[in-house]
Amino acid sequence: TFGGEITLRHLLEHRSGLVRMPPKGNHADLAGATLAETVTSLNATALVSQPGSAVKHSDAGYAVLARVVEVAGGKPFEQLLAETVFTPRAMTHTSLRADKQSLAHAVMAPFDGERFAPAVFDTGVAASLGAQSNVKDVARFAQDLLAREAATLSGERGVLDRHDVVSLSGGVYGYTADLSLFPADDFAVI
């Protein structure tokens, strides 16, 4: 058994030690769950590592972060995100909920079959699913991130051809995204 305090930074950097998927509110949970129910369901799980000791992707950790934001902000997480991130940046094609509609063109192309549109994932807790967006909205978001101090950016850090880079990426069946920020060069690749 592991003990110790889980910090907000641990949650942001996938170093919390929490399980990858919460028992309730995960993308395969067709019954659906609120953020509160999702976070409460984590009480039935054990930590998979000592908090702060290892990087292990955790949708459960992002659900906890969203719940913290929801409680602190006094409004639903999706509403707070729209009011504080999407709307001020005119990110009109970005959403946490697909409402069974694809926000971006995508095609799955198996090597031995016909191409087809991927499923639209609209189950699970929004914070653990990530946002759906288009390139123009991601570019607006990247401009905002580049205006910040490089040390405050979270993501995978590295060096590419002697240039510091911070990368954020993710994907789900049929969709993938990568944003590489070069803060010292005031440049981003989407």
Side-chain angles (χ1 to χ4, degrees):
T1 336
F2 303 102
E5 185 176 277
I6 298 173
T7 67
L8 293 176
R9 178 144 317 264
H10 290 155
L11 293 166
L12 283 166
E13 295 176 347
H14 295 288
R15 296 183 307 114
S16 67
L18 290 173
V19 295
R20 179 179 174 91
M21 296 287 189
K24 290 187 176 182
N26 64 63
H27 71 273
D29 181 4
L30 299 178
T34 65
L35 270 175
E37 292 167 338
T38 299
V39 171
T40 300
S41 77
L42 293 172
N43 290 329
T45 68
L47 292 176
V48 296
S49 64
Q50 180 73 33
S53 68
V55 174
K56 180 171 174 36
H57 183 87
S58 175
D59 289 353
Y62 269 68
V64 172
L65 278 169
R67 181 66 181 146
V68 168
V69 168
E70 200 172 70
V71 170
K75 295 179 184 178
F77 174 70
E78 293 176 56
Q79 181 182 346
L80 287 166
L81 200 57
E83 291 174 1
T84 61
V85 178
F86 301 152
T87 301
R89 288 164 186 79
M91 295 172 67
T92 57
H93 291 89
T94 302
S95 173
L96 294 181
R97 284 286 172 209
D99 294 327
K100 307 297 182 214
Q101 299 288 322
S102 176
L103 296 174
H105 174 72
V107 175
M108 293 192 71
F111 290 112
D112 59 350
E114 291 185 36
R115 294 174 181 235
F116 58 93
V120 175
F121 291 89
D122 197 25
T123 60
V125 175
S128 64
L129 296 176
Q132 297 183 46
S133 192
N134 66 12
V135 173
K136 188 182 284 187
D137 281 5
V138 173
R140 288 184 177 110
F141 187 63
Q143 286 176 323
D144 184 65
L145 291 175
L146 288 170
R148 298 178 184 195
E149 286 290 322
T152 66
L153 297 174
S154 288
E156 185 177 332
R157 294 182 175 276
V159 176
L160 179 63
D161 196 25
R162 296 187 309 262
H163 296 269
D164 290 332
V165 61
V166 179
S167 294
L168 309 161
S169 62
V172 67
Y173 310 106
Y175 301 89
T176 187
D178 183 74
L179 172 59
S180 294
L181 302 164
F182 297 83
D185 304 298
D186 199 31
F187 182 76
V189 176
I190 300 169

